[in-house]
């Protein structure tokens, strides 16, 4: 009853305020007439001044048992609608909405007439209009390939001087491949075979042009050459209904070739695109490579198609994921990312999710899907309902509206919602005798035996041999494949119920845990450390594999089928989603520039500047220009993950510690408690260096870190060893932690310094430059590795206190080039990974496990896992000092 009331509200407002216009503008309570409103681009190609919404709604009226209104609407269409308008329309939209609407109206009209109560006067008028429209669409097929032009002029056709169309070269795969149901039905109803022949030719051409190695099709194709223009492939916008019509063409027409094609494509989809619960676009030539990291809302139809196919489990998984997105945003955004953030915020009241909900309920009998339907109804009434109808959402995040109510809202949304809740006795006909087009129009199944078009099966193409029993070439019987067992559907949904939830809560569900025995609680993303063998073993058990990338990051990929058990697979999925959320949080953090660690004690006196990674917590050195200066001390335990046992050695000093075993923030709190005035974390990855790895930032622990007030910096292994070697050589080593290197005049201002350290003047700067050249700390790529080639690990003090040693930041948080929807994660010390392939995460661990460049090889050969001997560095510096003293005497 609620659905009926909502439909009445939308339909009556259209008839009162908009008819005979194509669509209702619900915010301004008037009709949308093309040419009288500002152009919306391609969206307006659906409008042809043919009372679009009324035609699109015809068979919905009968489904909702509004036969009197249907009879009146048919009379209005026959009397008022003109199909001979000088207007350019979309072939695709006109076919599915207008031609499909006329055929659906004709189908239910003859059904009602046969029942003997309504439509006794009807004499096929809607079918005559459909045939007229069919002939007006045929000129679009005048191409060598048989693929139709994307647009046609209803009055002048294509390439006519007055047509204003026919120059296009490209069309989408769905645009050319979503014709067979309507065109074949028109041929079967009328006995005129040309329509079905044209639609079959277009389908045949697309099939022949599929990418043979992957069996996928692209989004956009050249209608003349057949070349793929856009070579990404998915199940959403641009391709969606092509797959749908292959399967439904088999159901309606009984031609095995359509099912064979669908099964071949479906096998490729499940092999490459399906990454449960995600459906991610890939490249047709490189199907293992994801084409994008977001999904569009049109793919919400796919679970319904999978139900028709008989493949229920992935349908339940993807539908549940989409439902979680809806619960988060009230509606399904036009596009959303793999970590379920809004990508495009609009929602034009699309019905695809309601369609899949209906099909899943029909297949499972699970009342859960009735609750899903109630949520859709409540959200529509609460957020989209306006006095003159229902308004599309301009932004699901803010709840703002757009002045549009597309015809498909009446044609599909209320049809599926009504059928979801209707009992068999609520229907005046058997819905099982019909098949839904992509616009939810009804075509009777008896067309398969009427006026059959004789067509030779394409014997030139060999179909892929599929050994999966799920691909038997018969209609699926859901009672056999999926007996009405709600608990089975629930068991599939359960691991996904928190897939979008930010907190990803997990209750203790295992009996062993409730008894205090058995397996340990699952590994949480915030606790994960890539260097911990136990954690790696847990990942393996959960079906998660770890891949070290060449740039030092770590990628995690989950394959649930590789998990030790279903519970472990569930743990793995939760772990990956937590990692996505951790990444999302860290991406929002401020991206900080590199910092500097300067050794200022004897005999360095500020000449050694080490590039350091910043921390996203603690003292902001950019706001404390003087920086933090102090002697360094190694803490015990060296990892800093527990209470410091040598606080007397650390108090009022800058603590040195090793990376690993706990969060960076925990280390900072421990040394701060021991009285340290700052901290330096040294990478535990042997040989890592700032000149070969991206800038590394230390992230917080996901909690409030305002209690940390001391500065924290990160040094890669080679830079850290310079300080450690200096301690072994000179014991007392003093450093300055700052936002950038300071000149020595600033460092030693007001302090007792050697005679050769004087005010920073031109001579010193020139000497610095000369010294830098002599020491070769910054060689060019053409220079052969020299004795002092540190490649940025140790740099001379930059002229004027600049940042010559800073390494360019390739942004460790930016999304990686994904093999699957990956997001980058700042490493919270546990070597945090990133986003999933199924789903996959790419991490900002910044551990260069594989350093293959020539520079890196040279550096490795020179350092041999150790820094340049301190004696050699000091010998070079002594020569510089002597030269400087001689220059000073000459100047005096």
């Amino acid at each position: 009853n609620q659905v009926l009331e909502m439909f009445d509200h939308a339909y009556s407002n259209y008839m009162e305020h908009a008819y005979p216009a194509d669509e209702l503008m619900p915010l301004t309570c008037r009709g949308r007439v093309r040419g009288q409103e500002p152009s919306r681009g391609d969206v307006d190609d659906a409008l042809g001044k043919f009372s679009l919404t009324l035609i699109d709604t015809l068979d919905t009226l009968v489904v909702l048992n509004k036969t009197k209104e249907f009879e009146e609407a048919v009379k209005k269409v026959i009397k008022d609608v003109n199909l001979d308008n000088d207007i350019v329309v979309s072939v695709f939209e006109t076919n599915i909405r207008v031609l499909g609407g006329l055929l659906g109206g004709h189908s239910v009209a003859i059904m009602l007439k046969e029942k003997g109560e309504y439509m006794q006067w009807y004499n096929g008028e809607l079918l005559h209009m459909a045939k007229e429209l069919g002939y007006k669409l045929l000129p679009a097929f005048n191409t060598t390939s048989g693929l139709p032009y994307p647009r046609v002029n209803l009055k002048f056709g294509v390439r006519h001087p007055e047509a204003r169309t026919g120059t296009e070269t490209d069309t989408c795969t769905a645009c050319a491949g979503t014709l067979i149901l309507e065109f074949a039905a028109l041929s079967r109803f009328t006995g005129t075979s040309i329509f079905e022949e044209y639609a079959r030719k277009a389908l045949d051409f697309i099939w022949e042009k599929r990418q043979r190695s992957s069996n996928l099709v692209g989004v956009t194709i050249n209608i003349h050459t057949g070349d793929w223009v856009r070579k990404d492939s998915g199940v959403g916008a641009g391709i969606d209904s092509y797959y749908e019509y292959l399967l439904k063409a088999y159901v309606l027409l009984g031609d095995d070739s359509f099912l064979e094609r669908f099964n071949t494509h479906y096998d490729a989809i499940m092999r490459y695109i399906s990454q449960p619960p995600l459906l991610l676009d890939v490249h047709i030539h490189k199907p293992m490579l994801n084409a994008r990291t977001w999904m569009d809302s049109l793919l919400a139809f796919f679970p319904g198609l999978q139900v028709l196919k008989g493949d229920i489990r992935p349908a339940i998984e993807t539908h549940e994921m989409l439902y979680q997105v809806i619960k988060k945003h009230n509606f399904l955004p036009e596009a959303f990312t793999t970590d379920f953030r809004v990508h495009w915020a609009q929602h034009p009241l699309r019905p695809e999710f309601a369609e899949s909900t209906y099909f899943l309920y029909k297949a499972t009998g699970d009342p859960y899907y009735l609750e899903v339907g109630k949520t859709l109804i409540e959200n529509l009434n609460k957020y989209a309902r306006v006095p003159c109808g229902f308004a599309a959402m301009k932004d699901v995040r803010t709840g703002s509206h757009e002045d549009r109510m597309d015809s498909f809202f009446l044609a599909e949304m209320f049809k599926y919602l009504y059928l979801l809740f209707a009992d068999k006795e609520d229907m005046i006909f058997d819905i099982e005798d019909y098949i839904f087009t992509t616009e939810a129009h009804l075509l009777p199944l008896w067309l398969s035996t009427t006026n059959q078009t004789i067509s030779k099966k394409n014997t030139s193409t060999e179909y892929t041999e599929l050994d999966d029993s799920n691909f038997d070439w018969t209609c699926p019987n859901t009672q056999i494949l999926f007996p009405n067992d709600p608990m089975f559907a629930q068991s599939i949904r359960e691991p996904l119920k928190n897939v979008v939830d930010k907190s990803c809560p997990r209750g203790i569900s295992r009996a062993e845990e409730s008894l205090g025995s058995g397996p340990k609680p699952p590994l949480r993303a915030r606790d994960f450390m890539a260097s911990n063998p136990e954690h790696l073993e847990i990942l393996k058990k959960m079906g998660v594999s770890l891949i070290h990338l060449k740039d030092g990051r770590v990628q995690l990929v989950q394959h649930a089928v590789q998990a030790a058990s279903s519970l472990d697979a569930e743990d793995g999925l939760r772990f990956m989603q937590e990692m996505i959320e951790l990444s999302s949080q860290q991406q929002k953090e401020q991206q900080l520039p590199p910092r500097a660690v300067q050794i200022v004690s004897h005999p360095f006196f500020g000449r050694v500047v080490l590039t350091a990674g910043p921390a996203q917590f603690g003292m902001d050195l950019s706001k404390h220009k003087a920086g933090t200066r102090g002697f360094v001390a190694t803490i015990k335990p060296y990892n800093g993950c527990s209470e410091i046992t040598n606080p007397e050695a650390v108090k009022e000093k800058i603590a040195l510690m090793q990376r690993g075993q706990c969060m960076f923030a925990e280390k900072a709190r421990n040394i701060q408690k021991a009285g340290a005035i700052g901290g330096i974390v040294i990478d535990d990855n042997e040989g890592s260096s700032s000149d070969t790895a991206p800038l590394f930032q230390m992230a917080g622990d996901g909690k409030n870190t305002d209690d940390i007030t001391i500065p924290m910096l990160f040094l890669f292994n080679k830079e850290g060893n310079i300080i450690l070697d200096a301690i072994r050589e000179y014991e007392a080593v003093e450093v300055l932690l700052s936002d950038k290197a300071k000149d020595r005049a600033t460092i030693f201002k007001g302090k007792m310094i050697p005679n050769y350290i004087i005010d920073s003047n031109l001579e010193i700067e020139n000497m610095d430059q000369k010294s830098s050249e002599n020491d070769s700390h910054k060689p060019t790529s053409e220079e052969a590795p020299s004795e002092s080639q540190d490649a940025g690990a140790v740099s001379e003090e930059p002229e004027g206190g600049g940042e010559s040693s800073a390494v360019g930041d390739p942004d460790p948080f930016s999304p990686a080039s994904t093999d699957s929807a990956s997001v980058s994660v700042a490493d919270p010390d546990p070597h945090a990974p990133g986003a999933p392939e199924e789903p996959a995460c790419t991490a900002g661990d910044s551990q260069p496990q594989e350093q293959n460049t020539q520079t890196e090889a040279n550096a490795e050969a020179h350092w041999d896992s150790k820094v340049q001997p301190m004696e050699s560095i000091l010998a070079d510096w002594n020569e510089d000092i002597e030269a400087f003293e001689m220059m000073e005497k000459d100047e005096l």
Side-chain angles (χ1 to χ4, degrees):
N1 290 336
Q2 197 171 2
V3 174
L4 290 173
E5 186 278 329
M6 294 167 65
F7 173 82
D8 288 340
H9 177 67
Y11 180 70
S12 62
N13 273 286
Y14 166 74
M15 295 304 295
E16 179 181 350
H17 298 293
Y19 182 80
D22 284 317
E23 290 180 347
L24 169 68
M25 300 174 68
L27 299 183
T28 53
C29 301
R30 57 196 173 97
R32 182 181 297 281
V33 179
R34 192 166 172 187
Q36 296 182 13
E37 303 294 336
S39 173
R40 300 175 299 170
D42 292 347
V43 176
D44 284 339
D45 287 346
L47 311 180
K49 298 182 179 179
F50 34 38
S51 300
L52 173 63
T53 297
L54 183 60
I55 293 177
D56 220 1
T57 309
L58 288 177
D59 53 5
T60 303
L61 290 165
V62 178
V63 172
L64 272 57
N65 202 8
K66 294 181 177 293
T67 49
K68 290 182 180 179
E69 290 88 340
F70 171 72
E71 195 158 0
E72 294 172 1
V74 171
K75 291 178 179 177
K76 285 182 179 293
V77 169
I78 296 171
K79 175 175 175 288
D80 298 337
V81 172
N82 176 26
L83 297 174
D84 194 39
N85 299 313
D86 179 13
I87 193 166
V88 176
V89 296
S90 162
V91 173
F92 169 75
E93 297 290 356
T94 304
N95 172 66
I96 65 171
R97 300 201 206 188
V98 186
L99 183 58
L102 291 170
L103 292 172
H106 173 70
S107 298
V108 293
I110 58 177
M111 177 270 297
L112 290 173
K113 184 176 182 179
E114 288 177 2
K115 288 182 178 293
E117 184 176 355
Y118 296 99
M119 303 298 294
Q120 296 304 301
W121 55 269
Y122 181 70
N123 195 29
E125 288 84 353
L126 294 178
L127 181 59
H128 298 322
M129 295 180 67
K131 188 174 182 179
E132 178 190 355
L133 181 60
Y135 278 119
K136 289 185 174 296
L137 295 178
L138 286 184
F141 291 83
N142 187 22
T143 62
T144 55
S145 66
L147 299 178
Y149 283 95
R151 297 174 185 84
V152 66
N153 187 298
L154 290 177
K155 190 176 185 69
F156 298 108
V158 175
R159 306 193 71 169
H160 186 279
E162 299 179 68
R164 304 186 304 283
T165 188
T167 59
E168 302 94 340
T169 58
D170 306 334
T171 192
C172 72
T173 301
C175 300
T178 311
L179 299 161
I180 187 63
L181 291 189
E182 292 83 1
F183 273 49
L186 182 57
S187 287
R188 302 295 176 97
F189 273 130
T190 63
T192 305
S193 63
I194 188 172
F195 304 109
E196 183 173 347
E197 291 171 359
Y198 274 50
R200 281 179 177 266
K201 184 179 179 182
L203 271 182
D204 290 345
F205 189 82
I206 295 174
W207 170 252
E208 290 297 329
K209 289 298 180 180
R210 74 191 186 285
Q211 212 291 319
R212 297 303 177 99
S213 62
S214 66
N215 282 318
L216 294 173
V217 293
V219 174
T220 309
I221 190 171
N222 186 296
I223 60 176
H224 303 296
T225 66
D227 294 332
W228 292 110
V229 180
R230 276 187 55 189
K231 299 177 183 179
D232 46 319
S233 183
V235 296
I239 302 179
D240 49 2
S241 48
Y242 162 69
Y243 294 133
E244 177 186 2
Y245 269 38
L246 284 178
L247 180 57
K248 289 184 175 180
Y250 164 69
V251 175
L252 180 65
L253 307 177
D255 187 336
D256 285 351
S257 66
F258 291 127
L259 184 60
E260 291 166 353
R261 295 179 191 183
F262 173 80
N263 283 334
T264 302
H265 284 314
Y266 188 76
D267 178 67
I269 291 169
M270 300 310 290
R271 187 186 305 272
Y272 304 118
I273 296 171
S274 177
Q275 300 169 23
L278 310 178
L279 291 164
L280 296 173
D281 285 18
V282 299
H283 295 278
I284 60 175
H285 296 288
K286 298 179 180 179
M288 301 305 294
L289 181 63
N290 281 357
R292 62 189 188 192
T293 58
W294 49 271
M295 297 167 279
D296 66 74
S297 63
L298 286 172
L299 62 76
F301 91 100
F302 197 67
L305 186 63
Q306 289 179 305
V307 171
L308 187 61
K309 172 74 181 80
D311 198 4
I312 307 294
R313 177 181 286 273
I316 293 173
E317 292 173 335
T318 299
H319 179 275
E320 181 63 19
M321 176 271 292
L322 295 171
Y323 183 44
Q324 298 301 324
V325 175
I326 288 174
K327 289 202 291 187
K328 182 176 182 179
H329 300 296
N330 300 319
F331 297 98
L332 201 58
E334 277 291 78
F336 53 94
T337 62
T338 52
D339 56 347
F340 310 112
R341 290 176 290 111
V342 173
H343 186 68
W344 296 334
Q346 307 95 321
H347 174 73
L349 307 182
R350 293 198 184 278
E352 284 78 14
F353 181 77
E355 174 186 358
S356 289
T357 303
Y358 163 67
F359 278 111
L360 274 169
Y361 179 65
K362 292 288 290 183
T364 65
D366 190 342
Y368 174 83
Y369 295 109
L370 297 179
E371 296 301 317
V372 174
K374 290 178 182 177
T375 300
L376 298 182
I377 291 171
E378 290 169 1
N379 288 348
L380 285 171
N381 277 324
K382 186 174 182 180
Y383 302 108
R385 187 165 182 148
V386 294
C388 286
F390 291 84
M393 306 304 297
K394 187 174 184 179
D395 193 319
V396 298
R397 297 165 297 190
T398 63
S400 57
H401 290 123
E402 191 174 352
D403 199 6
R404 63 185 284 194
M405 188 180 82
D406 291 83
S407 68
F408 53 67
F409 182 62
L410 284 166
E412 299 184 71
M413 180 68 83
F414 292 114
K415 192 176 292 174
Y416 288 124
L417 288 177
Y418 182 81
L419 290 171
L420 176 64
F421 293 100
D423 295 324
K424 196 167 185 178
E425 53 268 23
D426 296 325
M427 302 292 296
I428 62 174
F429 66 99
D430 189 353
I431 197 71
E432 301 295 340
D433 292 336
Y434 297 82
I435 191 168
F436 292 108
T437 69
T438 194
E439 191 77 3
H441 292 307
L442 301 176
L443 298 178
L445 294 176
W446 53 258
L447 288 175
S448 62
T449 58
T450 303
N451 293 323
Q452 294 187 43
T453 300
I454 299 176
S455 60
K456 292 183 179 180
K457 184 174 178 179
N458 188 349
T459 57
S460 64
T461 300
E462 293 184 3
Y463 292 95
T464 304
E465 289 295 329
L466 304 171
D467 57 2
D468 193 326
S469 61
N470 189 38
F471 298 128
D472 289 340
W473 293 340
T474 59
C475 284
N477 184 329
T478 57
Q479 289 303 309
I480 296 174
L481 288 169
F482 193 82
N484 288 328
D485 177 11
M487 293 306 296
F488 182 66
Q490 181 179 341
S491 68
I492 299 173
R493 289 193 304 267
E494 187 66 24
L496 301 167
K497 67 180 181 180
N498 295 316
V499 71
V500 181
D501 190 346
K502 285 187 175 180
S503 59
C504 289
R506 175 191 168 90
I508 298 176
S509 58
R510 301 177 181 178
E512 296 88 349
E513 291 177 20
S514 65
L515 296 174
S517 62
K520 297 179 181 179
L523 177 65
R524 308 311 294 261
R526 63 176 180 267
D527 302 324
F528 171 67
M529 289 180 291
S531 61
N532 188 322
E534 183 181 353
H535 288 182
L536 297 179
E537 188 62 32
I538 294 174
L539 287 190
K540 184 178 179 181
K541 190 177 180 183
M542 295 190 300
V544 179
S545 55
L546 182 144
I547 304 169
H548 290 282
L549 304 179
K550 291 183 178 180
D551 61 3
R553 291 173 302 169
V554 177
Q555 185 176 47
L556 295 181
V557 180
Q558 189 203 22
H559 298 275
V561 294
Q562 297 177 3
S565 68
S566 59
L567 285 175
D568 290 310
E570 177 184 341
D571 289 341
L573 181 60
R574 287 199 175 97
F575 174 83
M576 300 297 278
Q577 296 305 328
E578 287 180 4
M579 199 59 74
I580 292 173
E581 182 55 34
L582 188 62
S583 164
S584 179
Q585 292 174 359
Q586 291 169 350
Q587 285 181 8
K588 297 173 184 176
E589 299 286 349
Q590 179 183 7
Q591 304 302 299
L592 303 172
R595 305 301 189 205
V597 175
Q598 233 169 328
I599 306 179
V600 299
S601 55
H602 173 79
F604 307 93
F605 301 116
R607 297 179 65 87
V608 175
V609 181
L610 307 175
T611 299
Q616 295 173 351
F617 53 86
M619 178 190 293
D620 185 353
L621 291 171
S622 65
K623 298 178 180 178
H624 295 77
K625 296 301 182 183
T628 296
R629 179 171 175 166
F631 287 92
V632 295
T634 303
I635 62 172
K636 297 178 182 179
Y638 190 32
N639 60 30
C641 293
S642 57
E643 185 175 351
I644 307 305
T645 58
N646 61 336
E648 67 287 344
V650 175
K651 189 174 183 180
E652 299 301 324
K653 293 183 180 178
I654 294 174
L656 296 178
M657 70 211 79
Q658 189 178 46
R659 176 188 187 182
Q661 307 303 316
C662 63
M663 307 293 282
F664 289 122
E666 185 178 347
K667 299 176 189 288
R669 291 188 179 98
N670 288 334
I671 64 170
Q672 181 173 282
K673 183 179 178 181
I677 60 173
I680 297 174
V681 179
I682 299 175
D683 192 11
D684 59 345
N685 181 35
E686 187 71 25
S688 64
S689 174
S690 63
D691 63 316
T692 58
L695 175 69
F696 186 80
Q697 300 191 56
M698 295 186 289
D701 55 4
K703 304 173 184 176
N704 191 321
T705 55
D706 292 343
D707 59 314
I708 303 174
T709 58
I710 61 174
M712 294 288 292
L713 295 181
F714 177 88
L715 289 179
F716 283 107
N717 187 261
K718 286 185 178 180
E719 288 86 340
N721 279 336
I722 292 174
I723 294 182
L724 295 177
D725 282 1
I727 293 175
R728 285 190 286 269
E729 192 82 19
Y730 301 101
E731 294 186 3
V733 175
E734 189 179 16
V735 300
L736 173 66
L737 313 183
S738 58
D739 63 330
K740 60 182 180 179
K742 311 295 183 186
D743 60 58
R744 293 189 297 281
T746 301
I747 295 173
F748 295 104
K749 187 175 182 180
K751 295 182 181 290
M752 186 68 67
I753 57 175
N755 292 333
Y756 49 81
I757 305 296
I758 62 175
D759 289 342
S760 180
N761 53 29
L762 181 62
E763 287 77 18
I764 291 178
E765 292 176 355
N766 289 338
M767 190 59 234
D768 288 346
Q769 187 174 5
K770 178 179 178 182
S771 175
S772 176
E773 293 169 356
N774 290 340
D775 288 341
S776 301
H777 288 305
K778 286 290 183 179
T780 64
S781 59
E782 290 78 21
E783 291 175 322
S786 65
E787 179 181 350
S788 58
Q789 181 176 352
D790 304 348
V794 182
S795 74
E796 289 294 345
E797 172 195 340
E799 184 174 326
E803 296 181 40
S804 64
S805 64
V807 179
D809 179 17
D811 190 357
F813 300 135
S814 64
S817 174
T818 55
D819 180 41
S820 55
S822 64
V823 291
S824 301
V825 180
D827 190 345
D829 186 43
H831 309 190
E837 179 180 328
E838 294 181 321
C841 300
T842 302
D845 190 295
S846 295
Q847 294 187 357
Q849 301 293 336
E850 301 178 43
Q851 299 178 348
N852 298 326
T853 64
Q854 185 63 42
T855 302
E856 291 165 332
N858 291 340
E860 289 286 1
H862 169 71
W863 281 90
D864 193 24
S865 302
K866 289 291 182 180
V867 297
Q868 183 180 357
M870 194 59 62
E871 295 83 355
S872 175
I873 295 177
L874 290 177
D876 291 341
W877 287 348
N878 285 332
E879 293 177 6
D880 295 340
I881 291 169
E882 292 170 3
F884 168 76
E885 290 174 336
M886 183 64 67
M887 288 178 62
E888 182 182 7
K889 291 177 181 178
D890 292 343
E891 185 66 23
L892 291 173

